[in-house]
Amino acid sequence: MIRRLSAALFLAPATASAHYIPSTDVPTTVDVGMVTTWRSSSLINDYQYWQVPGTLMGGHAWPAEKGVEVDEMTLSLAHRLDQNLYGVVEVGSHAGDSDDHGGVELEHAYVGWVCCSDYGPWVAEVGRMSALFSPALAEHATQRLASEAPLTLDVLFGRHFHDDGARLWWHETGGISAGAEIWRGKAYPATDTSDGGAWDVFARYNWRGERLSWETGAWFYSAAAEARADHRYGGGHQHVPVAPPGETATAFSDIRFTGDSDIYGVHARVNYRLSQDITLALDGEWIHANLDGVLHDSIGRQADLDGDQSGGWIQPSLRWRRHTFGVRAEYLTTDNTVVGPAAPQLAEESGLANPDDHDPRRFTVIWHWQWRDNIALRAEAIRDESLTETDNRWTLGVIWRQRLWPGKTKSSHHHR
Amino acid sequence: MNRLFLALVLPASLLLSGCPDSSTGIDDQGASVSDFDWHMPDWVPLPVEPDYNPITEAKFQLGRYLFYDTDLSSDGSMSCESCHQQDKAFTDGVARPTGVTGMIHPRNSQSIANAAWVRTLTWGNPTLTDIEQQIVIPLFGIDPVEMGVNEANQDLVLSRLQRKTEYQTLFAEAFPDQSDPMYDEQAWQNIIHALASFVRGMTSFGSNYDLYTAGQSDALSTSAKRGMNLFNSEKLECFHCHEGYTLTASVRDRRRTPNIPAPFFNTGLYNIDGISAYPEPNTGKHELTGKTSDMGLFRPQSLRNIALTAPYNHDGSTATLREVILNYAAGGRNITSGPNTGDGRMNINKDPFIVSFTITEQEIEDVVAFLESLTDYEFINNPRYANPWQPPKDQDLTP
């Protein structure tokens, strides 16, 4: 029993399963995921905007908020159509600044084709999907050890990456996966305008032994953007928010970016099973981005931007039976040059200005307890230095992750 | 609690201590540097100056003397001040001004405060973007005649200036690279450049509203604050055309590279043909372009000092700020009698933001109070912009 449990826990929660191919044996599966977390404090105050100094942000990178919040909910349906074809649909909602932003959206709707056996090695997929180039980017909060998405992914990819596109890849054959993806550009940091869009290539290798298993990979992603807005707060008709008496609210500066983002990264993960009860793991990713383009706004101000930004995290963890203890240390460095008559103003209003030469950091200490097979509890202590003012917060959360149909049958092929 | 956090994360913190440091280099390419003292707050971006006429204090001072000199008109009866008086924020208080020959100008005199920042300089001409270009029109224009200088009398006018001893020094200081700036063939160009420098150097950013936005919360009355909120509301929509530090959408400065045409709007004041027509010759941008879609389009005015610049609109046909607000509240002006009869509310060129709204008398008073808070008393009392041919006034116009 304990051996079986250990084997199951070896996969969850630290192993992600953001992408899967339904099997021919159990052609239809329905999965649900939900994370609700209480946080002791908010990263920013009401009527403020979360803008990490030295960066442009966007997408769905909402700040942590005090109190109880449903971080995420996902409901997935996958169906194997025949030996070669399958389809996946997933809807999800994520915590946001308001109900409008936290509404349910279609995250996955794609059709896949495998050739030439049930699982490959060639897989082609088309539709709305999560990207596969960075395993962490496709992870949900139910799948991560920490409740909050990595800071670097928040900054460079706007947290969630769901886009319309196509993917062709060589799928886990001899431990090797490699492929290419092309995107319409709906996902930050691209835009889906005529000259927008994105593409990426990736490769990774995994190996599993009796006690040791590891995976490593590298990727390159290139995005083009035209008048890209920070859609968290801007991108449309702007007005000064209405604040209660005594509060001060300012309108969000709707600064746009037109240009290219070339981003590459390497990731690695090592698991070592010390005993039936104890497993050690080390997870990490390093990402570098080059931003080359123009900052501009609706009143004709503009300035050239040349930015180099690097970030990543390292996450050692120890699993003992149903308990996992981990630490995630994250960093981000930014080296930007903004040139043009309006450079001081655009840099400040876009968030690229970094007058204190602040180095964003975040440290998370995690305890994850797989209380029941499908329910886990999570507690964290977070020291958040993403802003110049440090925020220390605690979290307590519950994670529900379950295959609703067909019960406990193990039917799909999971991988990172 | 901080200690506990530190203890938990210290090892990881040490691990990351070797990461490179962050920085953002910013280069505004000299956009915030000027040798001229603009006498304005540093949050205001510097205006654009033409390369052929960089502003200097000497040119500004020469321009000031010329601005107030009636000898610059054909018959010695008018100066620039005749239509641009300091106590009225450099307007004249009449619906339409009269030139030296008695011709009445078809349009209302505009305030020239902060003229350096507007994208186009007159009510309806989208091509007039340099003050140097514009100054030629009141000096030499014939339709209408304003100051009446022409080829026949320009030497006479110039000789009157040359006889004044003040100008000997002023011209020499303003144009030190020229051997004889008052007498040679560049004399009229120098006059225009100096006048343009004076106009360009008139800056007005010292209203109570500016104090309020700088953090002095008691600089605005309660009524003015309510009016400001109405002004910036979706209900009134005023801020769309009267925005930013100049309170007009027609703005340019060193930081901006406008990528859209300069703004001109039809506010539904007239509709004499039941379609879009405005009374001739005041057809706005249409007067230059001839396009029917440009009929009745006029430049949005800066609202700075607006309480001092009545009457309003391009032809001075609206007497008070209250009437202006009521016209907007009605979604345009419906004229039911006289030669301009027509329902401006139905003008097909009317801007989409000119929609009717309900407004109470108290709200009108509040909006007027806000507009009055845009008056810069320091500007209208500033000796720097005053008539140098007269002794300094003791009168302070601040209420």
Side-chain angles (χ1 to χ4, degrees):
Chain A
M1 171 67 185
I2 290 177
R3 183 174 300 176
R4 214 152 37 97
L5 182 63
S6 292
L9 292 176
F10 188 79
L11 293 171
T15 299
S17 56
H19 180 275
Y20 62 93
I21 299 172
S23 76
T24 50
D25 298 337
V26 184
T28 303
T29 59
V30 178
D31 293 270
V32 66
M34 189 279 292
V35 176
T36 297
T37 305
W38 168 86
R39 292 181 173 83
S40 63
S41 66
S42 294
L43 180 54
I44 57 171
N45 295 326
D46 293 340
Y47 310 106
Q48 289 183 329
Y49 307 108
W50 185 36
Q51 190 65 56
V52 175
T55 72
L56 296 171
M57 292 182 72
H60 304 270
W62 298 102
E65 292 191 0
K66 183 178 180 179
V68 176
E69 191 165 37
V70 177
D71 289 343
E72 176 183 291
M73 182 284 296
T74 57
L75 185 63
S76 307
L77 167 68
H79 181 66
R80 188 81 179 209
L81 299 167
D82 60 28
Q83 188 170 357
N84 299 110
L85 289 169
Y86 60 93
V88 176
V89 175
E90 178 178 291
V91 293
S93 88
H94 300 277
D97 190 44
S98 68
D99 288 341
D100 290 342
H101 295 114
V104 174
E105 64 172 316
L106 184 65
E107 297 187 344
H108 292 168
Y110 63 91
V111 171
W113 174 81
V114 293
C115 176
C116 294
S117 73
D118 284 359
Y119 294 111
W122 289 105
V123 177
E125 291 161 321
V126 63
R128 179 168 299 175
M129 306 176 285
S130 298
L132 281 189
F133 58 86
S134 167
L137 189 57
E139 282 182 337
H140 288 294
T142 54
Q143 300 160 331
R144 278 192 305 268
L145 187 56
S147 68
E148 296 177 16
L151 182 63
T152 303
L153 298 182
D154 273 2
V155 168
L156 297 180
F157 291 101
R159 189 169 296 175
H160 302 297
F161 191 107
H162 306 115
D163 203 347
D164 298 345
R167 169 166 55 228
L168 176 65
W169 58 313
W170 175 272
H171 173 239
E172 289 192 6
T173 302
I176 295 174
S177 294
E181 300 171 302
I182 186 164
W183 305 106
R184 180 180 173 86
K186 286 182 174 178
Y188 187 91
T191 59
D192 60 348
T193 48
S194 57
D195 289 328
W199 60 271
D200 66 79
V201 291
F202 63 92
R204 55 178 173 261
Y205 176 75
N206 68 63
W207 182 88
R208 287 190 180 182
E210 178 69 18
R211 288 176 175 271
L212 180 69
S213 67
W214 56 275
E215 179 182 274
T216 186
W219 52 270
F220 176 83
Y221 165 89
S222 181
E226 286 182 304
R228 186 189 73 208
D230 182 345
H231 283 286
R232 297 174 305 162
Y233 309 114
H237 193 62
Q238 300 295 307
H239 282 292
V240 177
V242 179
E247 293 270 7
T248 302
T250 55
F252 182 70
S253 296
D254 193 13
I255 309 301
R256 307 300 181 96
F257 173 76
T258 295
D260 299 325
S261 303
D262 291 332
I263 310 174
Y264 52 88
V266 293
H267 56 89
R269 173 181 179 78
V270 179
N271 282 286
Y272 183 73
R273 189 160 56 84
L274 273 178
S275 67
Q276 286 187 347
D277 291 339
I278 299 176
T279 300
L280 301 175
L282 184 65
D283 226 331
E285 186 156 7
W286 175 84
I287 299 173
H288 178 86
N290 176 256
L291 313 178
D292 183 10
V294 180
L295 296 172
H296 53 98
D297 67 5
S298 62
I299 59 173
R301 298 182 299 177
Q302 63 181 56
D304 294 332
L305 166 64
D306 182 9
D308 283 290
Q309 302 177 352
S310 299
W313 65 93
I314 187 162
Q315 179 182 288
S317 62
L318 180 149
R319 176 172 296 115
W320 173 69
R321 296 184 177 173
R322 286 178 173 264
H323 300 272
T324 304
F325 305 92
V327 176
R328 185 175 68 179
E330 304 175 79
Y331 80 100
L332 186 67
T333 64
T334 59
D335 180 10
N336 307 302
T337 304
V338 186
V339 179
Q345 294 71 37
L346 290 174
E348 181 182 343
E349 293 172 25
S350 67
L352 281 166
N354 190 3
D356 301 320
D357 292 340
H358 178 63
D359 298 311
R361 301 280 189 268
R362 189 169 61 185
F363 307 97
T364 307
V365 180
I366 311 142
W367 169 43
H368 179 283
W369 175 28
Q370 193 67 41
W371 182 42
R372 297 286 188 271
D373 284 353
N374 298 307
I375 298 289
L377 304 176
R378 174 163 50 198
E380 297 165 297
I382 302 170
R383 181 176 179 83
D384 193 332
E385 300 174 4
S386 66
L387 303 176
T388 51
E389 195 169 318
T390 299
D391 176 60
N392 292 325
R393 58 181 177 272
W394 304 92
T395 79
L396 288 172
V398 59
I399 304 160
W400 173 32
R401 186 177 167 205
Q402 187 169 3
R403 169 139 295 165
L404 299 178
W405 178 267
K408 293 184 176 178
T409 307
K410 196 172 181 180
S411 62
S412 61
H413 180 80
H414 294 250
H415 56 81
R416 298 183 81 210
Chain B
M1 194 164 90
N2 275 339
R3 283 184 189 171
L4 179 57
F5 268 106
L6 281 174
L8 289 169
V9 304
L10 190 59
S13 183
L14 290 172
L15 191 68
L16 300 184
S17 61
C19 296
D21 295 330
S22 297
S23 68
T24 295
I26 295 171
D27 177 7
D28 73 355
Q29 300 177 306
S32 57
V33 177
S34 176
D35 292 332
F36 182 71
D37 184 354
W38 291 89
H39 292 266
M40 63 183 191
D42 58 8
W43 53 263
V44 180
L46 290 172
V48 176
E49 299 169 55
D51 293 337
Y52 60 83
N53 187 28
I55 192 169
T56 65
E57 183 64 21
K59 274 194 267 190
F60 175 89
Q61 290 299 340
L62 170 60
R64 179 179 160 218
Y65 276 79
L66 291 166
F67 185 91
Y68 285 99
D69 194 341
T70 55
D71 280 334
L72 196 53
S73 62
S74 60
D75 62 359
S77 66
M78 267 186 84
S79 70
C80 304
E81 188 211 12
S82 302
C83 302
H84 301 286
Q85 299 154 19
Q86 187 178 13
D87 64 335
K88 300 178 183 66
F90 292 93
T91 60
D92 56 6
V94 300
R96 292 180 295 153
T98 305
V100 291
T101 62
M103 286 182 76
I104 296 176
H105 199 295
R107 284 170 291 278
N108 181 250
S109 296
Q110 299 181 108
S111 173
I112 52 178
N114 302 331
W117 281 268
V118 287
R119 286 187 66 184
T120 58
L121 290 157
T122 59
W123 282 103
N125 188 338
T127 66
L128 213 52
T129 56
D130 280 0
I131 299 172
E132 286 78 0
Q133 290 175 295
Q134 197 280 331
I135 281 174
V136 174
I137 294 172
L139 280 175
F140 297 97
I142 57 172
D143 185 18
V145 173
E146 294 181 59
M147 298 180 74
V149 183
N150 54 38
E151 283 193 21
N153 63 27
Q154 64 178 342
D155 289 340
L156 172 68
V157 172
L158 193 57
S159 69
R160 288 203 301 256
L161 303 181
Q162 289 163 347
R163 283 197 292 273
K164 293 186 173 177
T165 55
E166 290 89 343
Y167 285 128
Q168 307 303 321
T169 308
L170 287 165
F171 269 84
E173 289 176 349
F175 302 99
D177 297 335
Q178 297 176 26
S179 58
D180 209 357
M182 207 176 166
Y183 291 89
D184 65 15
E185 58 190 14
Q186 286 185 289
W188 274 107
Q189 179 182 292
N190 291 342
I191 289 169
I192 290 165
H193 284 192
L195 281 167
S197 295
F198 177 61
V199 172
R200 185 168 286 122
M202 285 187 187
T203 59
S204 174
F205 297 100
S207 68
N208 285 342
Y209 171 68
D210 294 301
L211 295 176
Y212 178 79
T213 56
Q216 190 178 320
S217 60
D218 61 352
L220 291 188
S221 67
T222 305
S223 175
K225 288 176 186 172
R226 287 197 302 263
M228 178 180 67
N229 291 335
L230 282 165
F231 184 91
N232 290 314
S233 70
E234 293 285 7
K235 178 180 173 182
L236 267 62
E237 308 276 19
C238 312
F239 66 98
H240 289 283
C241 302
H242 302 284
E243 62 175 340
Y245 63 93
T246 57
L247 288 152
T248 170
S250 181
V251 60
R252 65 173 179 171
D253 57 49
R254 292 195 195 180
R255 297 175 188 166
R256 302 178 192 225
T257 309
N259 52 10
I260 56 173
F264 290 86
F265 303 117
N266 181 322
T267 58
L269 283 177
Y270 294 102
N271 187 5
I272 58 176
D273 66 351
I275 302 172
S276 65
Y278 271 45
E280 297 282 355
N282 281 324
T283 57
K285 189 178 177 184
H286 165 269
E287 201 175 330
L288 269 290
T289 67
K291 295 180 181 174
T292 53
S293 59
D294 288 336
M295 172 63 76
L297 271 64
F298 291 90
R299 189 193 73 173
Q301 300 298 294
S302 168
L303 298 189
R304 288 190 171 275
N305 303 300
I306 194 70
L308 303 175
T309 65
Y312 303 104
N313 294 126
H314 64 277
D315 54 359
S317 60
T318 311
T320 64
L321 288 172
R322 184 177 183 280
E323 282 182 48
V324 172
I325 295 167
L326 288 174
N327 284 343
Y328 285 128
R333 185 168 62 182
N334 183 19
I335 299 173
T336 55
S337 62
N340 295 327
T341 297
D343 192 348
R345 297 172 301 180
M346 307 303 287
N347 192 304
I348 62 168
N349 288 342
K350 194 180 73 170
D351 190 85
F353 280 120
I354 310 299
V355 291
S356 62
F357 52 83
T358 56
I359 188 165
T360 65
E361 283 298 324
Q362 179 61 55
E363 288 174 326
I364 292 173
E365 285 180 21
D366 291 340
V367 175
V368 170
F370 169 64
L371 295 173
E372 288 172 343
S373 79
L374 303 175
T375 299
D376 181 354
Y377 290 100
E378 185 183 332
F379 176 67
I380 63 170
N381 288 307
N382 194 336
R384 180 173 171 77
Y385 308 124
N387 189 343
W389 303 102
Q390 293 178 350
K393 292 177 186 173
D394 292 331
Q395 184 186 4
D396 187 342
L397 300 170
T398 308

